[in-house]
Every structure is written in structure tokens, then in C-alpha cells.
Amino acid sequence: MSESKDFLRVIVEEDLKKGKYKEIVTRFPPEPNGFPHIGHAKSICINFGIARDYNGHCNLRMDDTNPTTEDTKYVEALKDAVQWLGFKWDKDIYYTSDYFPKIYEYAIKLIKMGKAYVDSINEEQMREFRGTVTEPGKRSEFANRSIEENLDLFERMKKGEFKDGEHVLRAKIDMSAANMKMRDPLLYRIRHAHHFRTENEWCIYPMYDFAHCLSDYIEGISHSICTLEFENNRDIYDWVLDTLELEPPRPYQHEFARLGINYTVMSKRKLLELVQGNYVNGWDDPRMPTIAGYKRRGYTPESILNFCDQIGIAKANSMVDVSQLEFCIRDDLNKKVPRVMCVLDPLKVTIENYEGEEEIDAPYYPHDVPKEGSRVVPFSKVVYIERDDFNENPPKGFYRLTPEQPVRLRHGYIISCKEVIKDETGKITELIAQYYPNSKSGSDTSDIKVKSAIQWVSEKHAKKIEVRLYDRLYKNEAPEGLEDLNPNSLSIIKDALIEPAVISDKVDERFQFERQGYFYADPIDYTDENPVFNKIVGLKDSWAKKNIVERTHSSTVEVNYSVESAHHSISTKVKKEIVHGEAQALTQEQQNLFDKYTKEYRLNSEVSNILVRDEQLTSFYEETLKELNSPVSIANIVANEVAKELKQENELKFTSKQIAQLVKMVDEELISSKIAKQVFEEMTQTGENPEQIVEAKGLIQISDPAVILPIIDEVIAKNPDNVEKYRAGNQKLFGFFVGQVLKATEGKANPKVVNELVTKQLKA
Ligand code: ATP
Ligand code: MG
């Protein structure tokens, strides 16, 4: 249990103290009309967790009052999910349908008390009579039926004498209640349908509002915990139990905020649509936010429990970042799983000066002391490396193999490239390489400097595997429907190559493929002949670079040093991290900082992650913060630009004080973010103060409309064709005009002011 108690546990403890209940009894009451999703996991953790923490028990109850949508296969999926998460329910599972006879008796009792009546108006009238939030409703004439008539009609409803919708049973409460739910809510409806358990025994079914509170009472539940959308139903819950004058103790309802995650839909109805329309391969498709999906993908129960613990329990709905869930699984696996080498897109490398074969002993857990174990990695003349790890025309900062730059084969030798062989289309088909006999990892006596180590497999020994790469199912942060599906959420690689020990040793089902991510042997499709691995999650949040660019754009202070630069710095960072195949768990200290950065400073998790993992960056960030209280802007520049510098240089030419000055100038709109980038570059070279640089170069941002306007007018005058096209509706040309003006001022014009003025002038 986390140290600080959530509000539900506070309530439970008070009730225990007051002696209100002898035992804490909760329940998890899903409707078996779909597979449970990660939102249900939250509810499971709360209900089972509270029962466990207070030595009570939790019932698993199928809320099966809607015969048309429910099915046994969903019951099985729910049982499986609860068990997989590590919880046990009390005795057998419960079904609301088991209480149908009792609930029926309670309905009769209400009728006899004059508190319920059979209504026979149609749906439209019912809606009309309900009134509105501002106007009271009115009661139907049938509310005046005598108790005898009601009893007779209700019994005949049960016997099947009427069609669906012909009559309903309603509570007689108050048609002018401020809470609209209390305006004579429905208790029973007629449904001539086959029920998966009671079959054709019943043709009337109790409504949620009637069945739920009574089921809770019948089972002796003490705390009936549900999501916020049932807040207004609480009055009915209380009314039913109080009106029936049931013997105490009775349960009380408490609401918490439901879980929402960005890039995810969380409604069984929408998930069912994906399954039925074959947009995914079933409820357990590894892209689905169902428990079965996470399980099949390779998530561990621990990672999901951890996630539920981290998000906490609150009374206000909020959206959780999906990267937080991804962080939890990464964090869990990082400590546990063996690290091996797999090549997804193989490029052949023939080592011309190597003959024979050798066996290299390589640890499975190179970074974790408590876990031990190693395997043999065979090495021979022909190996495969990742196609991306060679570059004939490397960009600046490319640390892997090039015609000029040697690289280390992880756990093995250093090689250099002698010759590049291509086919007629120009595609590289093979590299001829040389190895350095005295450079073997662990006993390297060569003087050869390399900037990274890459994964590889021996051609003769490697095993072919199928790899299924999964990406987010939705491309939008707040997906609505099918149109928001990410078309690239699944890609299948049929002929990836893996080192043989993975297939033969079977030390685990989950692996870190070094520099690639975490993978899981698919529990259904994997065979020794055709091994299939699912990508669980990457080593790093691959969506974060997108987010950083987006966030920098939208933060109050724009430190958006152009899209390329943000992108570039991230890829450098990723490179450094993966050279060592590291994505270690945060230490307690780092974790505390991480929490502070994300919660207090409101940094996004990726930026925080970068900052806390590197001591130098952390202290640089903290130092800078002391100079200027602008945590988000400073974090962005430190995690991007400063981090990049630190990785390339041993010593920084600039100080935290200078960075604070730079951010401050952007904050105060003295310089544009674009110019800030230029100034930063200069600082890295000369170490001069940003103010000095700005002054010497005359880079002060121009925000004065009197200066900018004539420039805009000139641009407009020079481009009559584009003006015409723009005014005829080609909105894309807006960027052209802004660009021209910025160019004319050498980037010194304040983009915000330019935007406003261009809009105005083009309208004229
Ligand atoms: P959906 O809208 O996805 O169909 P539901 O609320 O209809 O969900 P039920 O099977 O009725 O699903 O819910 C079982 C329990 O799980 C309920 O107590 C419900 O409040 C809880 N629950 C459902 N979705 C979430 C969520 N996103 N976050 C937390 N709890 C949830
Ligand atoms: Mg529901």
C-alpha cells in the first residue's frame, strides 16, 4: 500500500473504527459483455486491494441483467484477468442472475408498500413526462393504479403475457426531484430474450439501479465502489435500500474517477466494434487495451499493478499519459529479463581476415548484479548486422559503422569496413570487413577507438524468427472512432535473425533485444519451427520526440529550436543510451526527482527521464533553475541542447547562468526562439554571454509593428500572384508570406507579431 492513504481507504478506516461493519466486503461487478480493459484493472486493484488491505474479502460478480449482450466467453475473460493480476475472489463467482427470484420478491414488496407501479406509457411519452433540469416532470395516469392491479400486471409481465416495452415497473418517488434520476426510475422491463444462464426462465429483467444495490445487500457488501458517472444514481441506491427497510448493516456507494488514457479508447462498445470489424485480431490482439491484449503482448501483471498504484485514486476525472504505462513495463522488465542480440533488418558482413569459428561467452544480465547467467554466442566469418548500423554517408554524430569509422560487435571484436557491395539498383547487399584480432571485448589490447557497439549474429548459427512490431493503435491523443486508427500499428518482420541460445536455452519468455526493445515469445503462435516474438515496448518512448516538439511549441515560452534540432538531439540521446544497451531502472533518488519534475514542475515524463538519468544534466538543470524560475523552458533546453553538447564535448563552454539568461531573453520576447538557437550555437563555440552575442550581432527581436509593417507590404507587393491565390482560398500560402518576412529580417522579427500582421494585411 502506498504511504499516503487515498480517500476510499480513509472512509473504510473510519467505518471500521466506528464499528459500522464487522468485515470489509467489496465486489468487482463487471457486466460480461466484453473483455475487461485497463480501466477495469484500476477497479480490480481498488476493490480487491482494499479487501486485502483490511483483511476482508472481495466478490467477483457478473452483473448479468442484460440478456442480449452477455456471454460466457466474457465471464471466462473476466475471471482470467482477475487471476492474472494476482487476485483471488471469495468462494465461487457470483451472478446477479442468481438473485433474480429475490429481486423479484423485493419488487413485489415495493408494490405492496405502494412504492412501485406498473406504467404503460410509451417511450416517447416517458421522455416527455420526465421534464427537464429546470422543469419538473409529471406522473403518468397509470401511477394511480391500485396495488392489486399493479400486482396482477407485474405477475403477468413475468409470465410473458406482454410484448417488449408494453409495460414497465417504476419506483414511485418524485417526478419533480432536482436529481432527474429520482423521477420515478424504471425498476423492471420486459425483454423476451435468451439469457446465457437463466435461458428462457425470465422475460422481465431488473434495471441496474434496482439490481445493483440489492445484489450488494444480498452479498453483505460493505463498500460499493463505482465510477463517478454513477454519482446521481446514488440517491436511488439509498432510496431502494432504505424504503425496503432492510435489516442493517447495509452497503453504501462511493465513487471514484474512472481511468482514461490518451491514445486509447476505453469502452467495451468501441472495443467490440474493433473486434467485430476485424480492425484487430480479436480481443487479445496485443494492440488492444484489454488485459488479455496486454497479457498476450508480454506485459507483466506487476507492471499493470504498478501503473494502477502510480495513477492513484481520485475524485476528479483526468487523462493519464499512455507513456506512463509504457514506462511501467519498461521499468519492470529492465531489471528482470535477459539481454540478447537480434537483427531485424539484416545486412551481410563478410570478415575477410577471419577463419574458423569461436564461442563467445556473454552474460544474459550485463547490468544487473543479482541476476546471473550467460550463454554462448557463436562467432564466424560471416555475420549480419542491422542495416541501419552502417552508413556510407553518415550525418554528423553517426557513431556506428561507416567506411571510415570502425565499430565494436557487441561482446566481440572491433571491425572496420573495407568494401561496400551493391546490386544494380544501388542497394547495399554486403560489406567486406576486417576484424582486429586483439580487440576482443574484455581483453582488448588494441588502441582502436570506437564510439559504439552494435548487435550482430553469425550467419551459420543464427535462427530465423518472426517479429511483430506493435505501435499505438490510435494516432490521435483523444481518439473518437475508427477514423483515428493508426494505420501503422502493426508491422510484421518475417525474417529477423536471432542468436541461437534464445531458441535453444529458453531461459525466459521475455527478452531485451539489445538496442531494439523488449520482446515476448507469443504464447499462442510461437513454435520451435516458427518462433514468433511480440514487441512489448521500445527501450525509449519513440513518441516522445514528437511530443517534445509539440510541447515546446505550445509551452508559454517557445524554445522550439526548430523541429530538426529537437529531433536531432533526441536521436543522439537515444544513440548514447542504446550503445550500452542500457535502459536501467531509476534509482530511488532518481525516482524521487522524477516525481518532483513531473508533478511539481509539470515536465513531461520523457524530459524528466532524460534529466534524472544523467547526474550532470540534473545538476545543470537545478543550477539553472536557481537563476531563473522557468522550469519548463529550462528543462527543454537542458534536455535537448545542453544534453547534446554534453555528449559531444567533455567540457561545456557555457554556464548555467548563461543558459538562464538565454531562456530569460526568450521569455521576455527579446529574441525569437529561432534566434535563440543561433545564439546557443555561438555560446557553445565561444562561451560568450548571450546578451553580448545578441548585441554584437544585432539580433534583438523586432516586435515593433511600425518596423514590420513596411516589410510585409513589400512582400505583398512583390508577390501579387500568391496574394491572389491566397485570397482565392489557398490557405497554405500563409506560411510563405510569414517565411518571406522572417527571411527579410534575418529571423529577427517576432513571429507572433508577424503572424498577426500578415493575417491583417492579407485580408485588406
Ligand atoms: P465500459 O464503458 O468500458 O463498457 P463499464 O463501466 O460499462 O465499462 P462494467 O463491466 O459495467 O463496465 O464495469 C465493471 C466495473 O469496472 C465497474 O465498477 C466500473 O465502474 C469499473 N470501470 C469500468 N471502466 C472503468 C475505467 N475506465 N476506470 C475505472 N473503473 C472502470
Ligand atoms: Mg456498462
Side-chain angles (χ1 to χ4, degrees):
M1 212 196 319
S2 24
E3 315 108 53
S4 63
K5 239 168 285 145
D6 56 78
F7 77 95
L8 289 172
R9 284 177 169 81
V10 170
I11 293 172
V12 167
E13 285 186 16
E14 272 169 18
D15 288 347
L16 275 174
K17 220 183 325 174
K18 281 189 279 185
K20 195 161 160 188
Y21 303 101
K22 280 206 207 73
E23 190 193 1
I24 300 303
V25 187
T26 56
R27 84 288 169 265
F28 171 60
E31 183 181 353
N33 61 351
F35 273 52
H37 48 62
I38 183 92
H40 292 106
K42 176 174 179 181
S43 179
I44 291 170
C45 286
I46 292 174
N47 282 297
F48 283 92
I50 288 180
R52 175 202 56 208
D53 291 347
Y54 298 97
N55 299 317
H57 68 264
C58 178
N59 294 346
L60 173 58
R61 181 201 309 150
M62 298 300 146
D63 195 10
D64 56 345
T65 55
N66 187 2
T68 53
T69 55
E70 294 158 2
D71 197 283
T72 340
K73 66 172 183 252
Y74 301 130
V75 175
E76 291 309 311
L78 283 154
K79 283 159 68 175
D80 192 61
V82 172
Q83 267 167 339
W84 184 69
L85 287 171
F87 294 109
K88 286 195 188 66
W89 52 84
D90 190 49
K91 301 198 195 103
D92 285 336
I93 62 170
Y94 295 82
Y95 292 87
T96 302
S97 55
D98 284 343
Y99 313 136
F100 283 171
K102 277 192 190 163
I103 295 173
Y104 179 78
E105 288 306 314
Y106 284 123
I108 302 274
K109 186 171 169 190
L110 278 185
I111 296 174
K112 286 184 177 162
M113 294 170 92
K115 297 288 183 184
Y117 62 96
V118 174
D119 201 353
S120 312
I121 53 176
N122 61 34
E123 257 182 74
E124 199 185 320
Q125 284 172 308
M126 199 165 312
R127 215 172 305 127
E128 202 186 302
F129 284 12
R130 243 183 124 214
T132 65
V133 199
T134 47
E135 288 165 49
K138 66 174 192 223
R139 217 161 239 164
S140 106
E141 53 185 304
F142 299 112
N144 300 324
R145 279 174 170 149
S146 69
I147 290 176
E148 288 68 35
E149 195 182 351
N150 280 322
L151 286 172
D152 176 57
L153 279 170
F154 189 52
E155 198 188 335
R156 288 165 60 202
M157 279 167 69
K158 177 174 177 270
K159 281 188 179 153
E161 291 184 21
F162 307 111
K163 290 198 289 287
D164 285 8
E166 224 177 310
H167 303 288
V168 291
L169 185 74
R170 299 180 76 166
K172 201 172 202 170
I173 308 181
D174 180 0
M175 285 306 288
S176 54
N179 177 358
M180 302 253 308
K181 297 250 178 194
M182 291 291 272
R183 297 186 184 174
D184 291 9
L186 302 198
L187 303 180
Y188 264 94
R189 60 179 173 176
I190 303 172
R191 267 277 188 289
H192 290 276
H194 180 266
H195 185 284
F196 76 104
R197 292 190 77 245
T198 58
E199 308 202 319
N200 298 318
E201 194 183 335
W202 294 86
C203 63
I204 53 171
Y205 290 91
M207 305 299 290
Y208 171 88
D209 281 322
F210 194 49
H212 202 85
C213 52
L214 288 171
S215 306
D216 283 348
Y217 177 75
I218 293 166
E219 288 176 17
I221 302 298
S222 58
H223 295 79
S224 179
I225 300 166
C226 65
T227 38
L228 275 174
E229 63 281 13
F230 292 100
E231 205 170 357
N232 287 335
N233 300 60
R234 196 198 318 131
D235 286 344
I236 310 179
Y237 190 101
D238 291 339
W239 182 90
V240 171
L241 296 185
D242 290 344
T243 306
L244 283 168
E245 294 170 346
L246 301 169
E247 201 176 307
R250 74 153 175 97
Y252 284 86
Q253 176 184 310
H254 308 275
E255 309 88 24
F256 70 96
R258 67 191 287 125
L259 170 65
I261 303 186
N262 61 7
Y263 295 99
T264 309
V265 299
M266 204 101 78
S267 128
K268 282 180 285 187
R269 189 179 50 75
K270 285 188 180 165
L271 297 176
L272 180 66
E273 188 183 15
L274 295 177
V275 173
Q276 287 182 332
N278 290 319
Y279 295 96
V280 294
N281 302 314
W283 284 100
D284 69 343
D285 186 299
R287 291 166 291 179
M288 289 282 272
T290 52
I291 315 257
Y294 291 113
K295 180 178 167 189
R296 173 129 189 222
R297 180 144 171 186
Y299 271 68
T300 55
E302 293 81 7
S303 64
I304 293 190
L305 296 175
N306 227 338
F307 172 72
C308 291
D309 196 45
Q310 279 185 17
I311 56 177
I313 308 173
K315 267 191 158 203
N317 283 323
S318 70
M319 191 62 85
V320 174
D321 197 331
V322 65
S323 63
Q324 202 172 335
L325 176 61
E326 293 163 351
F327 178 86
C328 287
I329 180 65
R330 226 181 258 129
D331 195 44
D332 187 36
L333 297 182
N334 177 44
K335 293 167 277 187
K336 287 186 189 163
V337 303
R339 295 177 190 188
V340 297
M341 297 194 286
C342 173
V343 173
L344 297 179
D345 184 8
L347 172 63
K348 183 174 179 177
V349 180
T350 301
I351 303 166
E352 59 177 13
N353 60 338
Y354 188 89
E355 297 302 332
E357 274 177 43
E358 69 189 275
E359 295 188 332
I360 297 172
D361 192 59
Y364 271 130
Y365 311 95
H367 300 281
D368 272 324
V369 193
K371 271 206 156 180
E372 277 175 24
S374 66
R375 81 288 191 185
V376 162
V377 183
F379 179 67
S380 64
K381 188 179 181 76
V382 181
V383 299
Y384 283 95
I385 64 168
E386 204 64 61
R387 182 166 286 278
D388 269 0
D389 284 339
F390 174 76
N391 198 319
E392 215 179 356
N393 305 297
K396 194 172 161 243
F398 186 85
Y399 289 160
R400 297 158 282 165
L401 188 63
T402 75
E404 277 76 43
Q405 184 170 269
V407 78
R408 175 174 299 285
L409 297 179
R410 173 97 168 125
H411 302 300
Y413 296 97
I414 294 175
I415 59 166
S416 59
C417 172
K418 292 289 143 217
E419 195 188 332
V420 181
I421 301 173
K422 296 178 186 172
D423 66 11
E424 60 284 1
T425 66
K427 185 180 174 192
I428 301 176
T429 54
E430 185 181 351
L431 303 178
I432 305 297
Q434 221 176 30
Y435 90 113
Y436 300 91
N438 56 350
S439 68
K440 192 168 172 183
S441 184
S443 56
D444 185 355
T445 54
S446 76
D447 273 337
I448 303 156
K449 291 251 178 316
V450 288
K451 290 191 171 134
S452 67
I454 60 173
Q455 73 271 26
W456 56 277
V457 292
S458 158
E459 177 182 55
K460 193 171 155 195
H461 307 89
K463 298 279 180 244
K464 202 149 113 181
I465 61 167
E466 176 177 326
V467 175
R468 298 176 184 167
L469 301 173
Y470 297 106
D471 200 348
R472 292 183 186 163
L473 188 52
Y474 289 93
K475 56 182 195 276
N476 296 347
E477 212 168 323
E480 295 280 336
L482 300 171
E483 66 281 6
D484 297 319
L485 283 169
N486 171 8
N488 305 315
S489 58
L490 169 63
S491 43
I492 299 178
I493 299 177
K494 287 278 185 193
D495 38 22
L497 294 172
I498 199 154
E499 52 170 290
V502 174
I503 309 298
S504 57
D505 284 10
K506 296 203 168 37
V507 281
D508 205 335
E509 294 163 334
R510 296 179 181 83
F511 294 89
Q512 183 188 120
F513 292 177
E514 291 206 46
R515 304 176 65 228
Q516 315 268 25
Y518 295 97
F519 292 80
Y520 180 53
D522 187 275
I524 293 171
D525 294 339
Y526 186 104
T527 61
D528 279 345
E529 293 69 47
N530 181 35
V532 178
F533 285 89
N534 298 326
K535 180 168 184 176
I536 308 168
V537 69
L539 292 174
K540 283 279 135 195
D541 186 352
S542 60
W543 287 61
K545 51 189 169 198
K546 242 172 78 186
N547 284 347
I548 285 185
V549 175
E550 277 165 16
R551 279 175 215 237
T552 0
H553 264 295
S554 60
S555 61
T556 42
V557 188
E558 288 192 297
V559 194
N560 55 339
Y561 302 103
S562 83
V563 172
E564 302 84 67
S565 80
H567 186 93
H568 176 70
S569 56
I570 292 294
S571 51
T572 329
K573 171 193 72 67
V574 170
K575 220 176 295 149
K576 190 200 168 190
E577 297 271 344
I578 57 194
V579 165
H580 309 292
E582 273 173 335
Q584 301 220 20
L586 297 181
T587 63
Q588 190 54 51
E589 207 174 317
Q590 288 171 337
Q591 185 65 50
N592 294 344
L593 266 181
F594 182 89
D595 292 345
K596 175 168 134 189
Y597 288 178
T598 49
K599 298 203 178 104
E600 217 173 287
Y601 296 170
R602 322 287 308 166
L603 309 186
N604 74 49
S605 52
E606 184 63 18
V607 166
S608 307
N609 196 30
I610 296 172
L611 293 178
V612 303
R613 277 181 186 276
D614 188 319
E615 253 177 64
Q616 257 178 306
L617 278 188
T618 310
S619 63
F620 194 96
Y621 178 58
E622 297 278 340
E623 285 294 308
T624 314
L625 263 185
K626 279 185 210 151
E627 304 287 336
L628 179 74
N629 183 20
S630 187
V632 174
S633 331
I634 294 176
N636 283 330
I637 188 171
V638 174
N640 288 300
E641 310 307 320
V642 177
K644 185 173 74 180
E645 274 306 297
L646 266 180
K647 258 147 225 180
Q648 287 167 358
E649 310 292 328
N650 284 328
E651 218 176 296
L652 293 179
K653 279 254 170 69
F654 51 84
T655 63
S656 50
K657 204 168 179 158
Q658 288 173 321
I659 293 297
Q661 281 173 6
L662 180 66
V663 172
K664 187 154 179 262
M665 287 200 289
V666 181
D667 274 352
E668 290 173 353
E669 298 194 1
L670 279 175
I671 55 172
S672 67
S673 43
K674 194 158 178 203
I675 292 293
K677 165 78 182 155
Q678 197 181 324
V679 176
F680 180 82
E681 288 297 322
E682 188 79 18
M683 286 161 66
T684 64
Q685 304 299 319
T686 63
E688 272 180 60
N689 279 341
E691 277 133 3
Q692 252 171 309
I693 298 169
V694 167
E695 203 172 272
K697 302 209 157 181
L699 295 174
I700 291 282
Q701 174 156 272
I702 307 168
S703 300
D704 186 353
V707 181
I708 298 175
L709 264 179
I711 303 172
I712 294 178
D713 289 341
E714 203 181 316
V715 172
I716 287 179
K718 269 194 194 155
N719 297 283
D721 290 358
N722 280 348
V723 174
E724 204 176 307
K725 280 187 208 150
Y726 175 82
R727 287 183 179 151
N730 187 349
Q731 299 286 325
K732 281 186 197 141
L733 283 166
F734 185 77
F736 163 82
F737 290 104
V738 172
Q740 289 292 308
V741 177
L742 290 177
K743 200 167 151 200
T745 60
E746 292 172 320
K748 282 182 281 184
N750 183 337
K752 234 167 62 189
V753 179
V754 174
N755 266 304
E756 276 163 26
L757 293 177
V758 168
T759 311
K760 217 165 94 193
Q761 295 304 94
L762 280 175
K763 260 199 203 124

